[in-house]
Amino acid sequence: MSNEEQKNDEVTIENADRRKFFGKTALIGAGVVAAPMTAAMFASQASANAKKAAMSPVVHPGELDEYYGFWSGGQSGEVRVMGVPSMRELMRIPVFNIDSATGWGITNESKAIKGDSVDIMVGDTHHPHMSMQDGRYDGKYVFINDKSNTRVARIRCDVMKTDKMLTVPNAHAIHGLRVQKVPYTKYIFCNGEFEIPLNNNGKETLEDVSTYRSIFNVIDAETMEMAFQVIVDGNLDNTDADYDGKYFASTSYNSEMGMNLGEMIASERDHVVVFNLARCEAAVKAGKFKNYNGNNVPVLDGRKGSDLTRYIPIPKSPHGINTSPNGKYFMINGKLSPTVSIIQIDKLDDLFADKIKARDTIVGEPELGLGPLHTAFDNKGNAYTTLFLDSQIAKWNVEDAIKAYNGEKVNYIREKLDVHYQPGHNHTTMGETRDADGKWLMVLCKFSKDRFLPVGPLRPENDQLIDITGDKMKIVHDGPAFAEPHDCIMVHRSKIKTKKLWSRDDPMFAGTVAMAKADGVDLMSANKVIRKGKNKVTVYMTSVAPTYGLNEFKVKLGDEVTVVVTNLDMVEDVTHGFCMTNHGVQMEIGPQATASITFKADKPGVQWYYCNWFCHALHMEMRGRMLVEA
Ligand code: K7E
Ligand code: CUA
């Protein structure tokens, strides 16, 4: 045994003993562990704390958080609004799911927004990102993908509601999603992850894998319609854009185009595909595209050899891609490789001009640990990479990593911190914008194991908040989260202005307003029942706490009934509900909003409807009868 091996051996044994020791004391009980703490120990701990007190995540009752957090709700299909640093959950925004509280997916207004996917009740959200102006959040929209049904939705930040949804044609499973940062968010970029035939009609080609493609998608952020798509070689995973408005790039973990695990991880290298926005737009203008599957979305060919794209080889199965807030680098997280590959963005001009080779754009490839998935940034030149397999965050210095790649003897690793456990995404406050402020790092851990009271075989995930203002990272908060929050953003509260009341001309219910106009009804005053044809009835009513404009209305058994409620209350937070008992019908109507819901009156007799959102001391009395004549 060499000296080195012997030393390692000793360390292991010592650690094992320490573990046994801690295990025993834990069995005896927490009280026993606390007891031996002497006054001297307390004093030394206090002085250590005084050196650099961690920022406190405590936000006292009545105080407001400094940041809005937008959390993906993973398999729940929703987006959550958190207060950071308190980690209080402020709101849930239903997007791809059906929501019992607000009637999302049940009301006519939300169904119209869902459009062609109105019958789909599930979603799998991953990547929420806010629209930008010149690389800074503009507070207008948050965009979110649905991997499970190939959709992208938009949330309006003034009302915190979903206002647009698009099923992306030609693609299969939208995963990575980012916005154009500069000059403004004209486009949303997102990846079709899975590989399918271009005309996926089950006729032309089915089993010939060589005809399968993954497709890159560019969506107009304002209209939420497809701008164009790009066929690529390999599949597509995550994506991000530069700070110049010129390039965006996506990782590919399946450059092999394998159809099973073994095939997908066969080669030692996969790639990043870089897209040239100006060339793509010019190609669309010049008509150099094709259409597939009978729709008219322009599809460009960006496979190897095309002048629209460049392919940069990256070690084995990369995952996340993150642009540094100084706009200089794309960080490509290695996943199966312990490295992050640093692409220097201003070298891409030369790459597209064929003056340099693809790998010449790589200016650093620091080795960080096992399973690097995603990287976040502070405002001091440091990067924070999640190590999924090591259950750690690696803090490293970007310029030092570049020096090391050039052969200089520098240690670029600043610190490794244990997190609990298996982190996926991490994110810093304002860290995906020019305003990165280096205050908080959120780490979204995939497992919580021993961190919370056990709640059966399915455990919450664990969101850990880390203070990154000092030399050492400090975990200051564990937050249980339901349904895997893949990703989040944290936006300074000064960026977001929300409405207190709905505007009567809000586009969210413009369709219903138009219907009322056609029916000759003034929504602000009318309470009436209009029969439309043999089996259709529209019921218009107002609501003012604690009454509905109609105490009763009469329909016939089998009628299709549309109830339209307009909330006349002008008081902030006085939301009413409408619930038709025993009919699976309920919805929220915010102050000054109109909402409607359609159902079949398939039960005879007296059917009570009631207000299901607390609004008044006499809220229980806010109800009325639907009289159903048999
Ligand atoms: Cu890494 Cu969907 Cu961004 Cu999960 S993805 S972690
Ligand atoms: Cu209106 Cu409760």
PDB file of all heavy atoms in Angstrom, residues 125-127 145 147 175-176 237-238 319-320 373-374 423-425 446 484 486-487, ligand 1:
ATOM      1  N   THR A 125     -44.943  21.199 -17.262  1.00  0.00           N
ATOM      2  CA  THR A 125     -44.252  22.473 -17.487  1.00  0.00           C
ATOM      3  C   THR A 125     -42.797  22.387 -17.021  1.00  0.00           C
ATOM      4  O   THR A 125     -42.499  21.773 -16.002  1.00  0.00           O
ATOM      5  CB  THR A 125     -44.948  23.628 -16.733  1.00  0.00           C
ATOM      6  OG1 THR A 125     -44.979  23.320 -15.335  1.00  0.00           O
ATOM      7  CG2 THR A 125     -46.363  23.829 -17.214  1.00  0.00           C
ATOM      8  N   HIS A 126     -41.907  23.002 -17.781  1.00  0.00           N
ATOM      9  CA  HIS A 126     -40.489  22.987 -17.407  1.00  0.00           C
ATOM     10  C   HIS A 126     -39.881  24.383 -17.275  1.00  0.00           C
ATOM     11  O   HIS A 126     -39.274  24.686 -16.267  1.00  0.00           O
ATOM     12  CB  HIS A 126     -39.662  22.195 -18.436  1.00  0.00           C
ATOM     13  CG  HIS A 126     -39.824  20.723 -18.333  1.00  0.00           C
ATOM     14  ND1 HIS A 126     -38.773  19.866 -18.163  1.00  0.00           N
ATOM     15  CD2 HIS A 126     -40.926  19.948 -18.361  1.00  0.00           C
ATOM     16  CE1 HIS A 126     -39.229  18.620 -18.092  1.00  0.00           C
ATOM     17  NE2 HIS A 126     -40.528  18.642 -18.222  1.00  0.00           N
ATOM     18  N   HIS A 127     -39.999  25.219 -18.293  1.00  0.00           N
ATOM     19  CA  HIS A 127     -39.146  26.400 -18.362  1.00  0.00           C
ATOM     20  C   HIS A 127     -39.912  27.709 -18.467  1.00  0.00           C
ATOM     21  O   HIS A 127     -40.296  28.130 -19.554  1.00  0.00           O
ATOM     22  CB  HIS A 127     -38.173  26.255 -19.535  1.00  0.00           C
ATOM     23  CG  HIS A 127     -37.329  25.026 -19.443  1.00  0.00           C
ATOM     24  ND1 HIS A 127     -37.452  23.963 -20.312  1.00  0.00           N
ATOM     25  CD2 HIS A 127     -36.382  24.676 -18.555  1.00  0.00           C
ATOM     26  CE1 HIS A 127     -36.595  23.022 -19.959  1.00  0.00           C
ATOM     27  NE2 HIS A 127     -35.930  23.415 -18.893  1.00  0.00           N
ATOM     28  N   ASN A 145     -43.404  26.165 -21.377  1.00  0.00           N
ATOM     29  CA  ASN A 145     -43.617  25.037 -22.296  1.00  0.00           C
ATOM     30  C   ASN A 145     -44.440  23.938 -21.638  1.00  0.00           C
ATOM     31  O   ASN A 145     -44.496  23.825 -20.421  1.00  0.00           O
ATOM     32  CB  ASN A 145     -42.275  24.446 -22.720  1.00  0.00           C
ATOM     33  CG  ASN A 145     -41.611  23.696 -21.572  1.00  0.00           C
ATOM     34  OD1 ASN A 145     -41.375  24.278 -20.517  1.00  0.00           O
ATOM     35  ND2 ASN A 145     -41.341  22.419 -21.751  1.00  0.00           N
ATOM     36  N   LYS A 147     -44.174  20.050 -22.144  1.00  0.00           N
ATOM     37  CA  LYS A 147     -43.492  18.956 -22.846  1.00  0.00           C
ATOM     38  C   LYS A 147     -44.486  17.866 -23.241  1.00  0.00           C
ATOM     39  O   LYS A 147     -44.396  17.299 -24.321  1.00  0.00           O
ATOM     40  CB  LYS A 147     -42.375  18.381 -21.957  1.00  0.00           C
ATOM     41  CG  LYS A 147     -41.657  17.199 -22.600  1.00  0.00           C
ATOM     42  CD  LYS A 147     -40.388  16.820 -21.872  1.00  0.00           C
ATOM     43  CE  LYS A 147     -39.874  15.477 -22.380  1.00  0.00           C
ATOM     44  NZ  LYS A 147     -38.613  15.077 -21.759  1.00  0.00           N
ATOM     45  N   HIS A 175     -39.462  20.949 -25.194  1.00  0.00           N
ATOM     46  CA  HIS A 175     -38.706  20.950 -23.935  1.00  0.00           C
ATOM     47  C   HIS A 175     -38.083  22.327 -23.684  1.00  0.00           C
ATOM     48  O   HIS A 175     -38.723  23.205 -23.149  1.00  0.00           O
ATOM     49  CB  HIS A 175     -37.676  19.817 -23.900  1.00  0.00           C
ATOM     50  CG  HIS A 175     -37.026  19.722 -22.568  1.00  0.00           C
ATOM     51  ND1 HIS A 175     -35.671  19.685 -22.382  1.00  0.00           N
ATOM     52  CD2 HIS A 175     -37.571  19.705 -21.327  1.00  0.00           C
ATOM     53  CE1 HIS A 175     -35.415  19.646 -21.080  1.00  0.00           C
ATOM     54  NE2 HIS A 175     -36.542  19.647 -20.418  1.00  0.00           N
ATOM     55  N   GLY A 176     -36.827  22.522 -24.057  1.00  0.00           N
ATOM     56  CA  GLY A 176     -36.160  23.791 -23.768  1.00  0.00           C
ATOM     57  C   GLY A 176     -36.933  24.972 -24.339  1.00  0.00           C
ATOM     58  O   GLY A 176     -37.458  24.900 -25.442  1.00  0.00           O
ATOM     59  N   ASP A 237     -32.509  19.555 -26.836  1.00  0.00           N
ATOM     60  CA  ASP A 237     -32.830  19.451 -25.419  1.00  0.00           C
ATOM     61  C   ASP A 237     -33.124  20.837 -24.849  1.00  0.00           C
ATOM     62  O   ASP A 237     -34.259  21.282 -24.808  1.00  0.00           O
ATOM     63  CB  ASP A 237     -31.670  18.755 -24.692  1.00  0.00           C
ATOM     64  CG  ASP A 237     -31.997  18.440 -23.244  1.00  0.00           C
ATOM     65  OD1 ASP A 237     -33.151  18.642 -22.829  1.00  0.00           O
ATOM     66  OD2 ASP A 237     -31.087  17.979 -22.508  1.00  0.00           O
ATOM     67  N   ASN A 238     -32.086  21.573 -24.426  1.00  0.00           N
ATOM     68  CA  ASN A 238     -32.284  22.922 -23.894  1.00  0.00           C
ATOM     69  C   ASN A 238     -31.778  23.980 -24.861  1.00  0.00           C
ATOM     70  O   ASN A 238     -31.031  23.675 -25.789  1.00  0.00           O
ATOM     71  CB  ASN A 238     -31.587  23.061 -22.540  1.00  0.00           C
ATOM     72  CG  ASN A 238     -32.443  22.494 -21.418  1.00  0.00           C
ATOM     73  OD1 ASN A 238     -33.501  23.027 -21.097  1.00  0.00           O
ATOM     74  ND2 ASN A 238     -31.992  21.391 -20.828  1.00  0.00           N
ATOM     75  N   HIS A 319     -26.696  18.873 -21.436  1.00  0.00           N
ATOM     76  CA  HIS A 319     -28.089  19.142 -21.041  1.00  0.00           C
ATOM     77  C   HIS A 319     -28.389  20.651 -21.074  1.00  0.00           C
ATOM     78  O   HIS A 319     -28.809  21.170 -22.088  1.00  0.00           O
ATOM     79  CB  HIS A 319     -28.364  18.522 -19.668  1.00  0.00           C
ATOM     80  CG  HIS A 319     -29.763  18.724 -19.189  1.00  0.00           C
ATOM     81  ND1 HIS A 319     -30.858  18.271 -19.890  1.00  0.00           N
ATOM     82  CD2 HIS A 319     -30.259  19.319 -18.075  1.00  0.00           C
ATOM     83  CE1 HIS A 319     -31.969  18.591 -19.235  1.00  0.00           C
ATOM     84  NE2 HIS A 319     -31.633  19.234 -18.135  1.00  0.00           N
ATOM     85  N   GLY A 320     -28.170  21.357 -19.957  1.00  0.00           N
ATOM     86  CA  GLY A 320     -28.558  22.764 -19.902  1.00  0.00           C
ATOM     87  C   GLY A 320     -27.627  23.658 -20.702  1.00  0.00           C
ATOM     88  O   GLY A 320     -26.455  23.348 -20.893  1.00  0.00           O
ATOM     89  N   LEU A 373     -25.731  19.877 -14.707  1.00  0.00           N
ATOM     90  CA  LEU A 373     -26.977  20.018 -15.480  1.00  0.00           C
ATOM     91  C   LEU A 373     -27.261  21.458 -15.892  1.00  0.00           C
ATOM     92  O   LEU A 373     -27.624  21.716 -17.033  1.00  0.00           O
ATOM     93  CB  LEU A 373     -28.169  19.488 -14.677  1.00  0.00           C
ATOM     94  CG  LEU A 373     -28.270  17.976 -14.497  1.00  0.00           C
ATOM     95  CD1 LEU A 373     -29.626  17.609 -13.898  1.00  0.00           C
ATOM     96  CD2 LEU A 373     -28.073  17.222 -15.807  1.00  0.00           C
ATOM     97  N   HIS A 374     -27.151  22.390 -14.944  1.00  0.00           N
ATOM     98  CA  HIS A 374     -27.517  23.776 -15.254  1.00  0.00           C
ATOM     99  C   HIS A 374     -26.584  24.731 -14.517  1.00  0.00           C
ATOM    100  O   HIS A 374     -26.073  24.404 -13.448  1.00  0.00           O
ATOM    101  CB  HIS A 374     -28.967  24.050 -14.860  1.00  0.00           C
ATOM    102  CG  HIS A 374     -29.961  23.219 -15.622  1.00  0.00           C
ATOM    103  ND1 HIS A 374     -30.355  23.512 -16.902  1.00  0.00           N
ATOM    104  CD2 HIS A 374     -30.621  22.079 -15.293  1.00  0.00           C
ATOM    105  CE1 HIS A 374     -31.226  22.608 -17.325  1.00  0.00           C
ATOM    106  NE2 HIS A 374     -31.402  21.713 -16.365  1.00  0.00           N
ATOM    107  N   PRO A 423     -29.748  17.973  -7.431  1.00  0.00           N
ATOM    108  CA  PRO A 423     -30.290  19.219  -7.985  1.00  0.00           C
ATOM    109  C   PRO A 423     -30.414  19.172  -9.504  1.00  0.00           C
ATOM    110  O   PRO A 423     -29.588  18.563 -10.185  1.00  0.00           O
ATOM    111  CB  PRO A 423     -29.245  20.255  -7.569  1.00  0.00           C
ATOM    112  CG  PRO A 423     -27.960  19.476  -7.501  1.00  0.00           C
ATOM    113  CD  PRO A 423     -28.340  18.100  -7.018  1.00  0.00           C
ATOM    114  N   GLY A 424     -31.481  19.775 -10.019  1.00  0.00           N
ATOM    115  CA  GLY A 424     -31.659  19.911 -11.468  1.00  0.00           C
ATOM    116  C   GLY A 424     -31.282  21.321 -11.874  1.00  0.00           C
ATOM    117  O   GLY A 424     -30.115  21.662 -12.000  1.00  0.00           O
ATOM    118  N   HIS A 425     -32.295  22.176 -12.000  1.00  0.00           N
ATOM    119  CA  HIS A 425     -31.990  23.567 -12.312  1.00  0.00           C
ATOM    120  C   HIS A 425     -31.544  24.316 -11.062  1.00  0.00           C
ATOM    121  O   HIS A 425     -31.922  23.965  -9.944  1.00  0.00           O
ATOM    122  CB  HIS A 425     -33.240  24.273 -12.853  1.00  0.00           C
ATOM    123  CG  HIS A 425     -33.429  24.107 -14.318  1.00  0.00           C
ATOM    124  ND1 HIS A 425     -32.880  24.962 -15.241  1.00  0.00           N
ATOM    125  CD2 HIS A 425     -34.104  23.184 -15.030  1.00  0.00           C
ATOM    126  CE1 HIS A 425     -33.222  24.574 -16.457  1.00  0.00           C
ATOM    127  NE2 HIS A 425     -33.967  23.484 -16.360  1.00  0.00           N
ATOM    128  N   LYS A 446     -34.274  17.426  -6.641  1.00  0.00           N
ATOM    129  CA  LYS A 446     -35.288  16.489  -7.111  1.00  0.00           C
ATOM    130  C   LYS A 446     -35.797  15.566  -6.010  1.00  0.00           C
ATOM    131  O   LYS A 446     -36.815  14.914  -6.164  1.00  0.00           O
ATOM    132  CB  LYS A 446     -34.706  15.634  -8.242  1.00  0.00           C
ATOM    133  CG  LYS A 446     -34.194  16.428  -9.421  1.00  0.00           C
ATOM    134  CD  LYS A 446     -35.329  16.962 -10.260  1.00  0.00           C
ATOM    135  CE  LYS A 446     -34.803  17.625 -11.519  1.00  0.00           C
ATOM    136  NZ  LYS A 446     -35.884  18.254 -12.274  1.00  0.00           N
ATOM    137  N   GLU A 484     -42.470  18.419  -9.250  1.00  0.00           N
ATOM    138  CA  GLU A 484     -41.166  18.818  -9.762  1.00  0.00           C
ATOM    139  C   GLU A 484     -41.074  20.191 -10.437  1.00  0.00           C
ATOM    140  O   GLU A 484     -41.370  20.333 -11.615  1.00  0.00           O
ATOM    141  CB  GLU A 484     -40.740  17.760 -10.782  1.00  0.00           C
ATOM    142  CG  GLU A 484     -39.264  17.687 -10.970  1.00  0.00           C
ATOM    143  CD  GLU A 484     -38.884  16.529 -11.869  1.00  0.00           C
ATOM    144  OE1 GLU A 484     -39.688  15.599 -12.045  1.00  0.00           O
ATOM    145  OE2 GLU A 484     -37.765  16.583 -12.394  1.00  0.00           O
ATOM    146  N   HIS A 486     -39.093  22.094 -12.379  1.00  0.00           N
ATOM    147  CA  HIS A 486     -37.854  21.933 -13.146  1.00  0.00           C
ATOM    148  C   HIS A 486     -37.010  23.186 -13.106  1.00  0.00           C
ATOM    149  O   HIS A 486     -35.798  23.128 -13.074  1.00  0.00           O
ATOM    150  CB  HIS A 486     -38.177  21.625 -14.604  1.00  0.00           C
ATOM    151  CG  HIS A 486     -38.591  20.227 -14.825  1.00  0.00           C
ATOM    152  ND1 HIS A 486     -37.702  19.249 -15.153  1.00  0.00           N
ATOM    153  CD2 HIS A 486     -39.789  19.641 -14.745  1.00  0.00           C
ATOM    154  CE1 HIS A 486     -38.350  18.110 -15.274  1.00  0.00           C
ATOM    155  NE2 HIS A 486     -39.615  18.312 -15.030  1.00  0.00           N
ATOM    156  N   ASP A 487     -37.682  24.311 -13.191  1.00  0.00           N
ATOM    157  CA  ASP A 487     -36.938  25.547 -13.421  1.00  0.00           C
ATOM    158  C   ASP A 487     -37.719  26.696 -12.789  1.00  0.00           C
ATOM    159  O   ASP A 487     -38.908  26.569 -12.500  1.00  0.00           O
ATOM    160  CB  ASP A 487     -36.808  25.783 -14.934  1.00  0.00           C
ATOM    161  CG  ASP A 487     -35.735  26.814 -15.271  1.00  0.00           C
ATOM    162  OD1 ASP A 487     -35.033  27.278 -14.357  1.00  0.00           O
ATOM    163  OD2 ASP A 487     -35.618  27.165 -16.459  1.00  0.00           O
TER     164      ASP A 487
HETATM  165 CU1  K7E B   1     -32.971  20.062 -16.617  1.00  0.00          CU
HETATM  166 CU2  K7E B   1     -36.692  20.068 -18.338  1.00  0.00          CU
HETATM  167 CU3  K7E B   1     -34.624  22.217 -17.838  1.00  0.00          CU
HETATM  168 CU4  K7E B   1     -35.652  19.149 -15.751  1.00  0.00          CU
HETATM  169  S1  K7E B   1     -34.835  20.199 -17.492  1.00  0.00           S
HETATM  170  S2  K7E B   1     -33.820  19.492 -14.555  1.00  0.00           S
END
